[in-house]
Every structure is written in structure tokens, then in C-alpha cells.
Amino acid sequence: MTRFDLRTADLRALNSLTKYPSIPTYHELDPRDGRLLESATAFPGDVIATEKVDGTNSRIVLLPDGGYLIGSREEFLHARGDVVANPALGIVEQLRPLAERLASPGSLRVYYLELYGGRIGGAARQYTADPARFGHRLFDVLLLDDWAAALTWTRPAISAWRESGGQPFATEERLAALAQAAGVELTPRLFRTGALPGSIAGMRALLAERLPETLVGLDGAKGRAEGIVFRAPDRTVIAKARFQDYARTAKRRATAG
């Protein structure tokens, strides 16, 4: 059995290996002007719709040796036992209690959470009027048993693997069980369906109907939601639909027409 040692591990490779991948938009974005195109993501079966929370992408990396790392999407900010932590966006302060109580899996496991509220971006006021108040929701878990082999890959190979859907994520059922065991809430589950609108107009209408306001307000706030994430139950297909993309597309179409 390969022994993990954080002191000798390639942290750049580990960082890339555990980063959260980009989620494609449900309707393709035109790279020329950011408008949506009518080509939509194909789902092979049922689709689970969840609220997309507008905060900062954060992660807790449980290490094979029982330690952990806390990070933003781009970099690690703290390791278990560190005296000093990077204070960026309050990520370490808010997530360290959760990291401390998570049980080591004996392999590599990453909990991805959206930290929101406080002073995190311009959308913070949609969730709370108190700049000292934060919330966090779990939205995915990476389960990587073969971490030793993966850490030997080159960083370009890791990046390509990550962005092409190579990371083994928990299924919806497993994700729910892990969230319950950790005592953390998932991003709100909105509905499950066998069919999504194919047109831009149809998706814009669905967003307005199904998510008229955020479901994760912290002090009674009922601000605007960012959008919806659609995912297959086995997490093999995932896409996002944001209100701002559909509003921008409608505005530009109206101007052009």
C-alpha cells in the first residue's frame, strides 16, 4: 500500500488533481459575444435540478494519511496543524470546523462547497444583510481511490483529465449519504425530470418559474438566485443555466431585431 506524505507530495499536482472542473452552460455560449446558442446539452435520462449558489467555490481535501487541506478553487489555503492560515474570503475560518469533524476515508476524498454571504462578491446581499454572516452548501464529492497513480501524471495530463470529466464524483445517492454523515446541507434540490426545454426561450421560462428567488437566504433574505445546475443521477453529465446568460441573450436579440 502506498503511503501518503504531505511533506514530500507534489502539491501542484495535488492541487490540480482536486480542483473543481468547469461546468458547461446548458445552452452553448457563443465565444464571440457571450450570447447563448440554441444547441443544448443532451442528457441520456433523468435530470436532477439544483440551485446554483453564487458564492466562492471551496474545497476540503481529506488526505490518505488522515490530514486535510482547505482551499479555494484555485489554491490551497490551510493544512491541518498549520499555525497560520490564508484568510482569503473567510474560507478557512468558515470551513475548518467541518474539516475537523470529517472522518478520514483512508484514500483521497474532496468535499466541494459553495461558501456564500458575508462579503463574498456582489451577490452576497441576495443572501444576507449581515456582512459577518456566511453559509455553505455541499454540491459535489470526489472519491479518488487510485490517487497514488494519478499523482505521477504530468500536470497537463491531470488538467486534461479533470476538464474532460475524468474525476470520479459521487452519485446523487452517495452524495446525499455523505452529506448526511457529515452533517452538512446540500445545495437545494429543486425537481427531477425526464425532459428539459430545448430552446433558449423555454429554459428562460423554466428558470423564472422554478426558481423565482433563492432558497438559501440566511436571515430571511429572498434575493435573486444565480441559476440552476442540471445533473444526471450518476453525475456523468452536468450543465448550468444562469439567469444572467438568458437575460443577456434576450436583450441582445431584441437589440439586433
Side-chain angles (χ1 to χ4, degrees), residues 14-120:
L14 183 62
N15 184 45
S16 185
L17 197 70
T18 60
K19 272 185 182 180
Y20 196 70
S22 303
I23 298 179
T25 52
Y26 177 70
H27 281 98
E28 185 183 356
L29 279 173
D30 189 330
R32 295 171 300 179
D33 60 10
R35 280 188 292 184
L36 295 168
L37 304 173
E38 288 290 350
S39 52
T41 302
F43 282 85
D46 278 2
V47 182
I48 297 164
T50 69
E51 180 176 349
K52 187 178 190 306
V53 182
D54 194 351
T56 185
N57 187 312
S58 310
R59 54 186 156 148
I60 298 173
V61 182
L62 300 184
L63 301 170
D65 63 356
Y68 66 73
L69 295 162
I70 297 175
S72 63
R73 184 182 187 274
E74 296 301 325
E75 62 183 340
F76 295 136
L77 305 173
H78 176 69
R80 177 177 237 162
D82 283 353
V83 176
V84 178
N86 187 322
L89 297 173
I91 293 173
V92 175
E93 180 183 4
Q94 296 299 319
L95 297 186
R96 184 159 40 196
L98 173 59
E100 287 287 345
R101 70 173 186 262
L102 289 173
S104 172
S107 59
L108 190 66
R109 182 179 295 175
V110 188
Y111 288 71
Y112 297 97
L113 305 106
E114 195 73 15
L115 180 67
Y116 65 98
R119 298 183 184 276
I120 299 175

Side-chain angles (χ1 to χ4, degrees), residues 119 161 223 235 247:
R119 298 183 184 276
W161 167 80
R235 183 45 176 82

Side-chain angles (χ1 to χ4, degrees), residues 139-163:
F139 60 88
D140 254 322
V141 175
L142 173 67
L143 308 166
L144 188 59
D145 293 329
D146 196 16
W147 55 268
L151 282 174
T152 66
W153 301 342
T154 65
R155 283 194 286 280
I158 292 173
S159 180
W161 167 80
R162 182 186 70 238
E163 295 302 323

